[in-house]
Amino acid sequence: MTPAINWTRFYSPQSVAVVGATDDTRRFGGRLMRQIAKFGYGGRILPVNPRLTELNGLKCYPSVSALPETPDHVGVVIAADRVIDVLRDCHAIGVQCATVFTAGFAETGTEQGQKLQDELLRFTRETGLRVMGPNCNGPVNFIDRFSFSAGYAVSSLSEPPGNVGLVSQSGGLGQTNVMWRAIKAGVHMSYQASCGNEADLTVVDFARFMLEGKETDVVMMALEAIRDGKAFMDLAQYAADREKPLIVLKFGITDAGKQAAASHTGAITGSDEVFSAVCKQYGVIRAQDCNELYEQAIVLRNRKLPKGRRAASMSLSGGNVVQMADVGTHLGLSWHHYTATTDKRLGELIPGYGKVGNPTDMTSLATGQPEIFRKAMEIISEDDNVDVMIPVFTFAPRADLEHAARLSRDAAKPLVMLVTGGCHDDQSLTVDSLVAMGAAAYRNTVDTLRYVRTAIAYREFLEARRAQAPLQRPQGMDQSAVAKALGASGERTLTEREAKSLLAQYGLPVPKELLATSADEAAAHARSINGPVALKIESADIAHKTEAGAIRLGLSGEAAVRQGYEEVHAAALRYKPDANIAGVLVQEMVPRGVEMMLGIVRDPVFGPLIAVGFGGIYVEVLRDITFRVPPVDAPTAREMLGELRGYRILEGVRGMAPADIEALVDCIVRLSWLAHDHGAQIRELDINPLTVPAKGAKVVDALLVVGRDQ
């Protein structure tokens, strides 16, 4: 078991050593030494370089073993092939944590680089010495003024600490595109970590540390790759438990659909869709670019969330009022009428004005009377029909802007400022200044309302999570029978009949069907079913029977069934002459209904997932599909259906009867438990279509590929 890291030693060390320290600031070791002192570190600095005896007024030591004390944290800036030897020396004197800045490991893509990184990982596991990196920019502690990083973006910062943390794999992008710009925009930081290759300590380790502490209320993550999907989901659960927002920018997306897939679900899965679904399920807030990371943090950092979607806004500009109404409505905000009490108070504030609308055009109320604007803003903010207040300022005096900033920071109800212009009596007061004061403030209407909507969505996620009942396994699931069937299957594609038999063990509804190996037997099976039948080729070598033309529908009478048998058999052989044909499946015709697709896919990062979408032949074209990590409950299954663009079809359109949504929900839940219990053995499962008429549901066709990942 990997030992826990002592984060106090790592982020707040009493002493640090720099192996590879130099007085040449053109080199990393020189810049690192300069930065430690410049940032305000108050502990002991122990430079290590056998070619120097003194560095910047400090005694310089020839090796780690020659140090007069065991440092809390060691930075390593030497050639890659010497790193392990230095870490051995560190372990020998009791060092518990180190940061390896050195490049030349797995990021090189070479066999030698990978070998060095594998050796580093083995060393950390054997000794318990915890390592950040290699190939990283290091950590920054803004609270205790400890910067173990040589980046220019850090050296130019002197702003006070804040309550927003940042974790990234990239040093340059994380420290410049996000951290530096965030701080300059008024978002002050608690901790930052640039993790590099993550040979030992990972982005998840650093994010969890930040979430644990009282100093950090929001954690931003900029990720090139998620190497451990389960660890990421556990982190998201932990963030949700603490009700601290986790905002993630994911780039360098790995396409899970690159591998050839036998089923429709395998063909349409893609990691960005999957990642979005995981984020939604676990309450992770996605950002689309670096700016969005810290801009979303602005409204979330005080964890003061709107209780509902009822917004109010006011402006001296009528055009801004109209735009707020339009954009806000489009994003799902509602503009409720103010209460009678608010109307009365506003009437007393400006006698004779009458009833006002929401959003409120203040043009004739407060032009030239800033005290009226400020008072009206307070009155509207206190309205019981208002969950979030969004005042719009064009050009306003400093007193108005600072008053709104204090309300945004201190009032019980969220207030988000939109400043489209600036401060007309003090140009040094900017939106960035207001953010630095603790206000939620923005420059653009659409961004403002999008981020308000994000805060509302996060509040809704937390409320739904609190109300969620413990997951209950539905009755009628034979886990042992399925485990036995899958275990006996080896790595192969099951026939439709075999797949349906397995699904039936978990309570999914399947039609009556029998296998025929001759035309006479097909006719006999049709008689026993006593109704119209479908004929389908049964062959593990023919995954998609429609493409092969090896299917006939709605056959009645012995002659038609016999003829259909011969046609299906011949079509299969034309399509794939060497196919191993087991026979022809004789299946009862199911009632017409909405055709859905349910599936299980195995994502390379997040493991088994369930997929739900509209089925039939258009599934890959329309891509109207949604994913979840199993298992799911009935409310989540309904939520998945609600995300589909074609959801109204299930409710009944143009005279069609509504589909049995509850039967469909039950199928989704049962399939999710199958994925949860046996997903490691299922490479792909494709139910297409699952027909959902006005009553009940039936698995019309199914394809199941069995096999574990190598």
Side-chain angles (χ1 to χ4, degrees), residues 33-364:
M33 286 292 296
R34 179 181 63 184
Q35 174 61 21
I36 295 170
K38 183 178 179 181
F39 202 69
Y41 176 62
R44 297 178 297 282
I45 305 173
L46 308 169
V48 176
N49 188 327
R51 292 187 293 274
L52 298 172
T53 58
E54 184 269 342
L55 199 163
N56 298 339
L58 301 170
K59 182 176 180 179
C60 193
Y61 301 89
S63 66
V64 169
S65 57
L67 291 172
E69 63 179 286
T70 299
D72 287 336
H73 193 161
V74 175
V76 182
V77 195
I78 56 173
D81 59 0
R82 295 173 51 211
V83 166
I84 291 295
D85 290 338
V86 168
L87 292 179
R88 288 194 181 99
D89 291 344
C90 289
H91 176 61
I93 67 169
V95 173
Q96 295 183 18
C97 52
T99 294
V100 177
F101 300 98
T102 306
F105 290 81
E107 83 284 352
T108 63
T110 65
E111 182 178 347
Q112 177 63 16
Q114 186 62 57
K115 180 180 177 181
L116 287 172
Q117 185 156 315
D118 291 343
E119 186 180 4
L120 190 155
L121 177 58
R122 281 195 302 272
F123 176 82
T124 63
R125 294 298 179 261
E126 290 168 1
T127 63
L129 193 158
R130 305 306 304 272
V131 172
M132 181 186 205
N135 182 38
C136 71
N137 267 25
V140 183
N141 177 349
F142 290 89
I143 297 166
D144 298 318
R145 305 304 297 176
F146 172 59
S147 170
F148 220 19
S149 179
Y152 176 81
V154 183
S155 67
S156 62
L157 295 174
S158 59
E159 287 80 357
N163 65 339
V164 178
L166 169 64
V167 182
S168 67
Q169 287 151 336
S170 166
L173 180 140
Q175 289 189 342
T176 303
N177 300 38
V178 183
M179 181 195 73
W180 186 84
R181 288 167 64 175
I183 292 174
K184 293 304 179 183
V187 181
H188 295 153
M189 313 288 293
S190 54
Y191 300 96
Q192 186 268 339
S194 298
C195 303
N197 292 9
E198 302 178 274
D200 176 28
L201 292 170
T202 69
V203 290
V204 168
D205 295 320
F206 286 97
R208 190 177 183 95
F209 156 72
M210 295 177 194
L211 290 166
E212 284 174 352
K214 65 180 184 301
E215 301 88 355
T216 305
D217 290 307
V218 177
V219 172
M220 306 182 294
M221 302 181 78
L223 307 178
E224 297 174 42
I226 295 173
R227 296 181 171 90
D228 186 335
K230 183 180 184 305
F232 180 81
M233 291 186 288
D234 289 344
L235 174 72
Q237 292 264 39
Y238 184 75
D241 288 342
R242 299 181 74 80
E243 299 192 356
K244 291 187 176 184
L246 189 64
I247 312 171
V248 177
L249 168 64
K250 176 69 171 62
F251 48 96
I253 296 166
T254 301
D255 185 1
K258 286 181 179 177
Q259 299 177 357
S263 73
H264 289 296
T265 40
I268 62 177
T269 187
S271 61
D272 192 50
E273 294 166 303
V274 168
F275 183 64
S276 290
V278 169
C279 288
K280 181 178 179 64
Q281 187 170 354
Y282 288 90
V284 175
I285 299 164
R286 284 201 74 175
Q288 299 304 315
D289 59 28
C290 294
N291 286 14
E292 274 198 18
L293 272 176
Y294 58 83
E295 287 172 356
Q296 291 192 106
I298 288 172
V299 76
L300 294 167
R301 60 186 168 159
N302 63 10
R303 297 164 68 187
K304 186 164 53 179
L305 304 172
K307 293 182 179 180
R309 300 188 183 191
R310 301 173 302 176
S313 183
M314 54 186 288
S315 176
L316 296 178
S317 162
N320 274 309
V321 165
V322 174
Q323 187 181 30
M324 290 291 286
D326 287 346
V327 176
T329 300
H330 177 72
L331 291 172
L333 303 182
S334 61
W335 306 97
H336 278 233
H337 293 300
Y338 301 137
T339 63
T341 301
T342 296
D343 284 334
K344 181 174 182 294
R345 292 178 68 189
L346 290 174
E348 292 171 350
L349 180 65
I350 312 121
Y353 188 82
K355 190 172 182 177
V356 297
N358 178 28
T360 304
D361 182 356
M362 295 285 292
T363 302
S364 59

Side-chain angles (χ1 to χ4, degrees), residues 27 79 91 117 134 140 160 283 309 331 342 401 415-416 429 461 481 483 524 572 597 646 674:
R27 301 174 65 182
H91 176 61
Q117 185 156 315
V140 183
R309 300 188 183 191
L331 291 172
T342 296
L401 294 169
L415 185 146
V416 181
L429 183 67
F461 163 78
M597 185 282 300
L674 178 65

Side-chain angles (χ1 to χ4, degrees), residues 648-658:
R648 287 190 58 204
I649 295 172
L650 290 167
E651 296 180 318
V653 294
R654 294 185 178 272
M656 293 173 56

Side-chain angles (χ1 to χ4, degrees), residues 295 298-300 302 304-306 312-314 324 377 381 387-393 404-405 407-409 413-419 439-445 447-453 455:
E295 287 172 356
I298 288 172
V299 76
L300 294 167
N302 63 10
K304 186 164 53 179
L305 304 172
S313 183
M314 54 186 288
M324 290 291 286
M377 181 171 59
S381 295
D387 297 313
V388 56
M389 178 63 177
I390 314 167
V392 183
F393 298 88
L407 284 177
S408 179
R409 183 190 62 207
K413 190 177 293 186
L415 185 146
V416 181
M417 302 172 63
L418 170 58
V419 184
Y442 298 99
R443 293 182 177 87
N444 302 310
T445 303
D447 289 342
T448 302
L449 291 169
R450 278 200 305 118
Y451 299 146
V452 167
R453 187 66 184 87

Side-chain angles (χ1 to χ4, degrees), residues 546-557:
T546 301
E547 292 177 7
I551 184 170
R552 298 292 184 273
L553 303 175
L555 301 180
S556 297

